[in-house]
Amino acid sequence: MVRSLWTAATGMNGQQNSIDVISNNLSNVNTTGYKQQRAEFEDLLYQNIKLAGTPATEDTVTPVGMQMGTGVKVAATQRIFTQGNLQATDVATDIAINGEGFFRVQQYDGSYAYTRDGSFKIDSNGQLVNSNGLRVMPEIIMPENFEINTLTISNDGRVTVKVSGNDDPLDVGQLEIYRFANPAGLTAEGDNLFTVSNASGDAIASRPGLEGAGTTKQRFLEMSNVSVVNEMVQMIVAQRAYEFNSKAIQTSDAMLQTATSLKR
């Protein structure tokens, strides 16, 4: 009975973690480029009371053993990199990736981070940056007297713009898309940024639309891939599982109370 108390407690802790993941998904339902997470569980150690194959008689062995489980734990929070819906914005510096890959930005310490959030801006130096002022890499720098309404980004990432008094567009840079062997292994840093880890592998650079990389879509943004309906269903399942485990604790407590009241 004591074992059941602790086993059910691990179940309640596990379902609480599941609710935490679901709530984070729901809170980011409108976050540009957000990728949903999923809590994954695995069972804990087992107490082997009798091993399968133990000799029963001189000529026979027990066909099955006796193992008592000790509960559950969260094994991982899997990030699911399915494509989010593309939403038209009519903003010249908004860029969505249709397919696999990430944009690269340079952080303040010089290291690189990767993002699916293409809500870029142009800073006072004419450079393409993200919402926090981090520079998009490779650098895209606009010429003087450029006309923002003439900014064009092709599906293969070529960036052109016109300057005042000149009808011919100028090439100002080439966007690159970065892919990973295991994108789920990237480390989320907040601010819609991911960094490389040993699990993700090194970044693989390519032009948009080549070598499996997605294409760039100007004047679009990729929205979160969170499905509110699915998250609500998962929340109901987690809530009921939490209640079941709490009932197991209450039942174990009632059984202990019965045992302690035998002698009066």
Side-chain angles (χ1 to χ4, degrees), residues 114-132:
Y114 301 87
T115 182
R116 295 279 297 191
D117 180 4
S119 55
F120 298 133
K121 282 80 177 170
I122 297 176
D123 66 8
S124 59
N125 298 319
Q127 192 157 9
L128 194 66
V129 298
N130 74 351
S131 298
N132 292 319

PDB file of all heavy atoms in Angstrom, residues 114-132:
ATOM      1  N   TYR A 114      19.259  30.349 -34.501  1.00  0.00           N
ATOM      2  CA  TYR A 114      18.438  30.001 -35.651  1.00  0.00           C
ATOM      3  C   TYR A 114      16.965  30.190 -35.301  1.00  0.00           C
ATOM      4  O   TYR A 114      16.549  29.988 -34.154  1.00  0.00           O
ATOM      5  CB  TYR A 114      18.726  28.556 -36.078  1.00  0.00           C
ATOM      6  CG  TYR A 114      20.180  28.362 -36.426  1.00  0.00           C
ATOM      7  CD1 TYR A 114      21.109  28.049 -35.431  1.00  0.00           C
ATOM      8  CD2 TYR A 114      20.641  28.533 -37.723  1.00  0.00           C
ATOM      9  CE1 TYR A 114      22.453  27.913 -35.731  1.00  0.00           C
ATOM     10  CE2 TYR A 114      21.985  28.386 -38.032  1.00  0.00           C
ATOM     11  CZ  TYR A 114      22.892  28.079 -37.036  1.00  0.00           C
ATOM     12  OH  TYR A 114      24.214  27.960 -37.344  1.00  0.00           O
ATOM     13  N   THR A 115      16.192  30.615 -36.292  1.00  0.00           N
ATOM     14  CA  THR A 115      14.799  30.954 -36.028  1.00  0.00           C
ATOM     15  C   THR A 115      13.932  30.684 -37.249  1.00  0.00           C
ATOM     16  O   THR A 115      14.412  30.721 -38.388  1.00  0.00           O
ATOM     17  CB  THR A 115      14.679  32.438 -35.621  1.00  0.00           C
ATOM     18  OG1 THR A 115      13.319  32.742 -35.325  1.00  0.00           O
ATOM     19  CG2 THR A 115      15.158  33.353 -36.746  1.00  0.00           C
ATOM     20  N   ARG A 116      12.659  30.408 -36.973  1.00  0.00           N
ATOM     21  CA  ARG A 116      11.654  30.318 -38.036  1.00  0.00           C
ATOM     22  C   ARG A 116      10.845  31.614 -38.115  1.00  0.00           C
ATOM     23  O   ARG A 116       9.989  31.758 -38.977  1.00  0.00           O
ATOM     24  CB  ARG A 116      10.703  29.155 -37.753  1.00  0.00           C
ATOM     25  CG  ARG A 116      11.310  27.781 -37.792  1.00  0.00           C
ATOM     26  CD  ARG A 116      11.461  27.223 -39.176  1.00  0.00           C
ATOM     27  NE  ARG A 116      10.189  27.031 -39.872  1.00  0.00           N
ATOM     28  CZ  ARG A 116      10.058  26.364 -41.025  1.00  0.00           C
ATOM     29  NH1 ARG A 116      11.125  25.836 -41.601  1.00  0.00           N
ATOM     30  NH2 ARG A 116       8.878  26.228 -41.604  1.00  0.00           N
ATOM     31  N   ASP A 117      11.120  32.531 -37.213  1.00  0.00           N
ATOM     32  CA  ASP A 117      10.401  33.802 -37.167  1.00  0.00           C
ATOM     33  C   ASP A 117      11.018  34.760 -38.175  1.00  0.00           C
ATOM     34  O   ASP A 117      12.125  35.261 -37.980  1.00  0.00           O
ATOM     35  CB  ASP A 117      10.483  34.382 -35.748  1.00  0.00           C
ATOM     36  CG  ASP A 117       9.749  35.708 -35.613  1.00  0.00           C
ATOM     37  OD1 ASP A 117       9.112  36.148 -36.596  1.00  0.00           O
ATOM     38  OD2 ASP A 117       9.805  36.305 -34.522  1.00  0.00           O
ATOM     39  N   GLY A 118      10.298  35.027 -39.247  1.00  0.00           N
ATOM     40  CA  GLY A 118      10.813  35.895 -40.304  1.00  0.00           C
ATOM     41  C   GLY A 118      10.256  37.304 -40.271  1.00  0.00           C
ATOM     42  O   GLY A 118      10.251  37.984 -41.303  1.00  0.00           O
ATOM     43  N   SER A 119       9.814  37.769 -39.097  1.00  0.00           N
ATOM     44  CA  SER A 119       9.311  39.146 -38.987  1.00  0.00           C
ATOM     45  C   SER A 119      10.498  40.091 -38.828  1.00  0.00           C
ATOM     46  O   SER A 119      10.770  40.613 -37.746  1.00  0.00           O
ATOM     47  CB  SER A 119       8.351  39.274 -37.798  1.00  0.00           C
ATOM     48  OG  SER A 119       8.970  38.841 -36.596  1.00  0.00           O
ATOM     49  N   PHE A 120      11.209  40.309 -39.943  1.00  0.00           N
ATOM     50  CA  PHE A 120      12.423  41.112 -39.925  1.00  0.00           C
ATOM     51  C   PHE A 120      12.113  42.595 -40.121  1.00  0.00           C
ATOM     52  O   PHE A 120      11.033  42.979 -40.572  1.00  0.00           O
ATOM     53  CB  PHE A 120      13.391  40.632 -41.003  1.00  0.00           C
ATOM     54  CG  PHE A 120      13.833  39.200 -40.805  1.00  0.00           C
ATOM     55  CD1 PHE A 120      13.832  38.304 -41.867  1.00  0.00           C
ATOM     56  CD2 PHE A 120      14.250  38.748 -39.567  1.00  0.00           C
ATOM     57  CE1 PHE A 120      14.236  36.988 -41.698  1.00  0.00           C
ATOM     58  CE2 PHE A 120      14.656  37.439 -39.378  1.00  0.00           C
ATOM     59  CZ  PHE A 120      14.656  36.565 -40.447  1.00  0.00           C
ATOM     60  N   LYS A 121      13.112  43.416 -39.751  1.00  0.00           N
ATOM     61  CA  LYS A 121      13.026  44.860 -39.908  1.00  0.00           C
ATOM     62  C   LYS A 121      14.328  45.370 -40.523  1.00  0.00           C
ATOM     63  O   LYS A 121      15.288  44.623 -40.661  1.00  0.00           O
ATOM     64  CB  LYS A 121      12.807  45.558 -38.554  1.00  0.00           C
ATOM     65  CG  LYS A 121      11.378  45.507 -38.009  1.00  0.00           C
ATOM     66  CD  LYS A 121      11.057  44.205 -37.353  1.00  0.00           C
ATOM     67  CE  LYS A 121       9.645  44.196 -36.750  1.00  0.00           C
ATOM     68  NZ  LYS A 121       9.272  42.833 -36.319  1.00  0.00           N
ATOM     69  N   ILE A 122      14.341  46.653 -40.864  1.00  0.00           N
ATOM     70  CA  ILE A 122      15.553  47.301 -41.353  1.00  0.00           C
ATOM     71  C   ILE A 122      15.950  48.355 -40.335  1.00  0.00           C
ATOM     72  O   ILE A 122      15.155  49.231 -39.993  1.00  0.00           O
ATOM     73  CB  ILE A 122      15.332  47.923 -42.738  1.00  0.00           C
ATOM     74  CG1 ILE A 122      14.993  46.821 -43.749  1.00  0.00           C
ATOM     75  CG2 ILE A 122      16.559  48.702 -43.184  1.00  0.00           C
ATOM     76  CD1 ILE A 122      14.650  47.325 -45.124  1.00  0.00           C
ATOM     77  N   ASP A 123      17.181  48.249 -39.806  1.00  0.00           N
ATOM     78  CA  ASP A 123      17.611  49.174 -38.756  1.00  0.00           C
ATOM     79  C   ASP A 123      18.145  50.471 -39.350  1.00  0.00           C
ATOM     80  O   ASP A 123      18.090  50.691 -40.572  1.00  0.00           O
ATOM     81  CB  ASP A 123      18.629  48.507 -37.835  1.00  0.00           C
ATOM     82  CG  ASP A 123      19.943  48.176 -38.537  1.00  0.00           C
ATOM     83  OD1 ASP A 123      20.134  48.590 -39.700  1.00  0.00           O
ATOM     84  OD2 ASP A 123      20.783  47.512 -37.918  1.00  0.00           O
ATOM     85  N   SER A 124      18.688  51.325 -38.484  1.00  0.00           N
ATOM     86  CA  SER A 124      19.156  52.649 -38.919  1.00  0.00           C
ATOM     87  C   SER A 124      20.350  52.567 -39.863  1.00  0.00           C
ATOM     88  O   SER A 124      20.649  53.529 -40.569  1.00  0.00           O
ATOM     89  CB  SER A 124      19.526  53.497 -37.695  1.00  0.00           C
ATOM     90  OG  SER A 124      20.541  52.859 -36.924  1.00  0.00           O
ATOM     91  N   ASN A 125      21.036  51.426 -39.877  1.00  0.00           N
ATOM     92  CA  ASN A 125      22.169  51.235 -40.784  1.00  0.00           C
ATOM     93  C   ASN A 125      21.761  50.587 -42.091  1.00  0.00           C
ATOM     94  O   ASN A 125      22.629  50.257 -42.916  1.00  0.00           O
ATOM     95  CB  ASN A 125      23.237  50.380 -40.107  1.00  0.00           C
ATOM     96  CG  ASN A 125      23.807  51.040 -38.868  1.00  0.00           C
ATOM     97  OD1 ASN A 125      24.061  52.245 -38.848  1.00  0.00           O
ATOM     98  ND2 ASN A 125      23.997  50.248 -37.804  1.00  0.00           N
ATOM     99  N   GLY A 126      20.448  50.386 -42.274  1.00  0.00           N
ATOM    100  CA  GLY A 126      19.969  49.753 -43.494  1.00  0.00           C
ATOM    101  C   GLY A 126      20.154  48.260 -43.517  1.00  0.00           C
ATOM    102  O   GLY A 126      20.087  47.635 -44.581  1.00  0.00           O
ATOM    103  N   GLN A 127      20.355  47.664 -42.356  1.00  0.00           N
ATOM    104  CA  GLN A 127      20.633  46.229 -42.276  1.00  0.00           C
ATOM    105  C   GLN A 127      19.385  45.459 -41.865  1.00  0.00           C
ATOM    106  O   GLN A 127      18.592  45.921 -41.040  1.00  0.00           O
ATOM    107  CB  GLN A 127      21.753  45.967 -41.288  1.00  0.00           C
ATOM    108  CG  GLN A 127      22.304  44.550 -41.343  1.00  0.00           C
ATOM    109  CD  GLN A 127      23.720  44.479 -40.803  1.00  0.00           C
ATOM    110  OE1 GLN A 127      24.221  45.441 -40.247  1.00  0.00           O
ATOM    111  NE2 GLN A 127      24.374  43.348 -40.986  1.00  0.00           N
ATOM    112  N   LEU A 128      19.228  44.277 -42.426  1.00  0.00           N
ATOM    113  CA  LEU A 128      18.091  43.423 -42.098  1.00  0.00           C
ATOM    114  C   LEU A 128      18.341  42.759 -40.749  1.00  0.00           C
ATOM    115  O   LEU A 128      19.354  42.065 -40.560  1.00  0.00           O
ATOM    116  CB  LEU A 128      17.893  42.369 -43.191  1.00  0.00           C
ATOM    117  CG  LEU A 128      16.552  41.613 -43.182  1.00  0.00           C
ATOM    118  CD1 LEU A 128      15.400  42.555 -43.504  1.00  0.00           C
ATOM    119  CD2 LEU A 128      16.592  40.464 -44.188  1.00  0.00           C
ATOM    120  N   VAL A 129      17.426  42.982 -39.789  1.00  0.00           N
ATOM    121  CA  VAL A 129      17.576  42.467 -38.427  1.00  0.00           C
ATOM    122  C   VAL A 129      16.245  41.870 -37.981  1.00  0.00           C
ATOM    123  O   VAL A 129      15.196  42.102 -38.592  1.00  0.00           O
ATOM    124  CB  VAL A 129      18.018  43.576 -37.443  1.00  0.00           C
ATOM    125  CG1 VAL A 129      19.379  44.124 -37.831  1.00  0.00           C
ATOM    126  CG2 VAL A 129      16.978  44.692 -37.387  1.00  0.00           C
ATOM    127  N   ASN A 130      16.299  41.124 -36.866  1.00  0.00           N
ATOM    128  CA  ASN A 130      15.053  40.598 -36.307  1.00  0.00           C
ATOM    129  C   ASN A 130      14.466  41.602 -35.320  1.00  0.00           C
ATOM    130  O   ASN A 130      14.974  42.719 -35.165  1.00  0.00           O
ATOM    131  CB  ASN A 130      15.270  39.221 -35.667  1.00  0.00           C
ATOM    132  CG  ASN A 130      16.006  39.290 -34.335  1.00  0.00           C
ATOM    133  OD1 ASN A 130      16.519  40.330 -33.930  1.00  0.00           O
ATOM    134  ND2 ASN A 130      16.072  38.162 -33.642  1.00  0.00           N
ATOM    135  N   SER A 131      13.422  41.221 -34.616  1.00  0.00           N
ATOM    136  CA  SER A 131      12.718  42.154 -33.737  1.00  0.00           C
ATOM    137  C   SER A 131      13.575  42.651 -32.582  1.00  0.00           C
ATOM    138  O   SER A 131      13.300  43.705 -32.004  1.00  0.00           O
ATOM    139  CB  SER A 131      11.444  41.492 -33.186  1.00  0.00           C
ATOM    140  OG  SER A 131      10.557  41.165 -34.240  1.00  0.00           O
ATOM    141  N   ASN A 132      14.635  41.893 -32.216  1.00  0.00           N
ATOM    142  CA  ASN A 132      15.533  42.296 -31.138  1.00  0.00           C
ATOM    143  C   ASN A 132      16.820  42.932 -31.638  1.00  0.00           C
ATOM    144  O   ASN A 132      17.753  43.140 -30.861  1.00  0.00           O
ATOM    145  CB  ASN A 132      15.869  41.088 -30.258  1.00  0.00           C
ATOM    146  CG  ASN A 132      14.663  40.601 -29.474  1.00  0.00           C
ATOM    147  OD1 ASN A 132      13.890  41.404 -28.960  1.00  0.00           O
ATOM    148  ND2 ASN A 132      14.497  39.291 -29.383  1.00  0.00           N
TER     149      ASN A 132
END
